[in-house]
Amino acid sequence: MGLKNTADSYSSMAKWLHWLTALLFLGSYMSVYYRHWFTEAKTPENWTALQLHLSIGVTIGVVVVLRILWRIANRPPAPEPGSRLEHRAAKLGHYALYAIMILMPVTGYLGTGVATEYFFLFDIPSFKDTELFTAWFGFEMTFEAFEEPVDFIHKDILGAWVVWLLILGHVLAALYHHFIKGDRTLRRMTRGH
């Protein structure tokens, strides 16, 4: 499997970026749910789970930028046969997934009031501690007033509902293609032809 997409299959790099993103989202959810369900507030375990969630979120942001650059430089394989409606739905679904992959790390970073101890290797300052926040919002509002709607979007709208619905739709579409249509859609993102 080469580094470039072909007309029939995705490249090893495209597959790697796809499955890495999926694993990172899974890790992000696991760390935040672990934090909320199994730790007490203001404990070292709670802080470690939060920092793991934040570190994974930053990593998702970086990987998504790489995915977008890769996608721009590499045309996807030709679509499998299907109706115009199926092709439009697939395209809209992929646009929505890319939008979520961008919005989740951005809103997560903007709405977090603590620095990210990136996998405990180095610190990334919180948005409230940057010159950008001060220049754009610092004179007009407190970080708490800024954080509340951003956090609501990140956690209560996107994180609690939209991401799950898009992932479910993506998985169901792949299974539909594999088991009902019997085409190569899923195989092209796993083992090839």
Side-chain angles (χ1 to χ4, degrees), residues 142-164:
T142 64
F143 179 74
E144 289 74 22
F146 172 82
E147 176 188 31
E148 187 174 335
V150 174
D151 219 25
F152 178 75
I153 291 168
H154 180 77
K155 292 178 183 174
D156 299 326
I157 296 175
L158 299 178
W161 295 103
V162 177
V163 172
W164 287 111

Side-chain angles (χ1 to χ4, degrees), residues 5-11 14 71 74-80 184 188-189:
N5 294 339
T6 67
D8 293 326
S9 189
Y10 289 98
S11 68
R71 177 75 182 234
N74 291 273
R75 294 182 81 165
E80 291 292 312
R184 300 172 303 141
R188 292 193 308 182
M189 191 47 81

Side-chain angles (χ1 to χ4, degrees), residues 4-31:
K4 290 278 203 182
N5 294 339
T6 67
D8 293 326
S9 189
Y10 289 98
S11 68
S12 55
M13 180 61 79
K15 292 175 188 177
W16 186 82
L17 290 170
H18 175 273
W19 292 108
L20 177 62
T21 305
L23 287 173
L24 288 169
F25 263 91
L26 180 63
S28 178
Y29 271 101
M30 288 172 60
S31 62

Side-chain angles (χ1 to χ4, degrees), residues 93-110:
H94 281 103
Y95 285 143
L97 285 166
Y98 273 98
I100 279 297
M101 289 187 290
I102 294 167
L103 288 171
M104 286 303 286
V106 169
T107 57
Y109 175 71
L110 293 178

Side-chain angles (χ1 to χ4, degrees), residues 41-53:
K42 301 184 188 302
T43 62
E45 295 82 13
N46 184 279
W47 181 256
T48 299
L50 172 64
Q51 288 301 323
L52 184 58
H53 178 73

